[in-house]
Amino acid sequence: MEDKHPKYSTFKEDGWDKLESGLIIQWGTTDSTGAPVTIYFPVKFNNACFAVVANSKVETNVGGSNYNIAVQTYDYEKSNFKAHVRGGAGTDYGATNDGFVWIAIGN
């Protein structure tokens, strides 16, 4: 796909797009160790990051057990956010080295 607006978007695995309204959508992927990590956005939001949604890249059935893997996102800043991949019962078990994908919106 040809990038017709290089100043306002990048269509890669970690990318962003700025809409005419000023809304910026950003996305990415990372490998996580289960410990809290700081993720830096491809571009800094001008005013604020409104929300970040993330999901584990691995199935929840690890080693024959369902660990209900979740990704907690918090501390949204203009240039980054924090995330923690969590395994079953609030532990990191089953979540190590799985990684996650995320999407953020702001302006």
Side-chain angles (χ1 to χ4, degrees), residues 1-4 9-11:
M1 171 189 291
E2 181 182 346
D3 188 354
K4 295 181 180 180
S9 62
T10 179
F11 296 108

Side-chain angles (χ1 to χ4, degrees), residues 5 7-11 15-27 43-52 103-107:
H5 306 285
K7 288 185 176 180
Y8 303 106
S9 62
T10 179
F11 296 108
W16 60 279
D17 193 20
K18 182 175 182 180
L19 307 179
E20 289 182 26
S21 65
L23 186 71
I24 299 172
I25 303 170
Q26 302 196 55
W27 59 87
V43 296
K44 184 177 177 180
F45 288 107
N46 295 321
N47 297 304
C49 173
F50 301 143
V52 178
I103 187 167
I105 60 170
N107 72 350

Side-chain angles (χ1 to χ4, degrees), residues 24-40:
I24 299 172
I25 303 170
Q26 302 196 55
W27 59 87
T29 183
T30 188
D31 293 324
S32 173
T33 61
V37 294
T38 300
I39 304 297
Y40 291 89

Side-chain angles (χ1 to χ4, degrees), residues 88-101:
T91 69
D92 293 336
Y93 188 73
T96 305
N97 297 321
D98 295 334
F100 59 93
V101 294

Side-chain angles (χ1 to χ4, degrees), residues 52-107:
V52 178
V53 178
N55 194 47
S56 173
K57 292 194 293 186
V58 73
E59 63 179 292
T60 60
N61 188 354
V62 178
S65 299
N66 188 346
Y67 291 109
N68 298 320
I69 295 171
V71 182
Q72 174 188 15
T73 63
Y74 56 98
D75 289 347
Y76 305 157
E77 300 288 339
K78 293 178 187 179
S79 62
N80 65 73
F81 69 97
K82 290 185 175 55
H84 192 167
V85 179
R86 304 291 288 187
T91 69
D92 293 336
Y93 188 73
T96 305
N97 297 321
D98 295 334
F100 59 93
V101 294
W102 58 267
I103 187 167
I105 60 170
N107 72 350

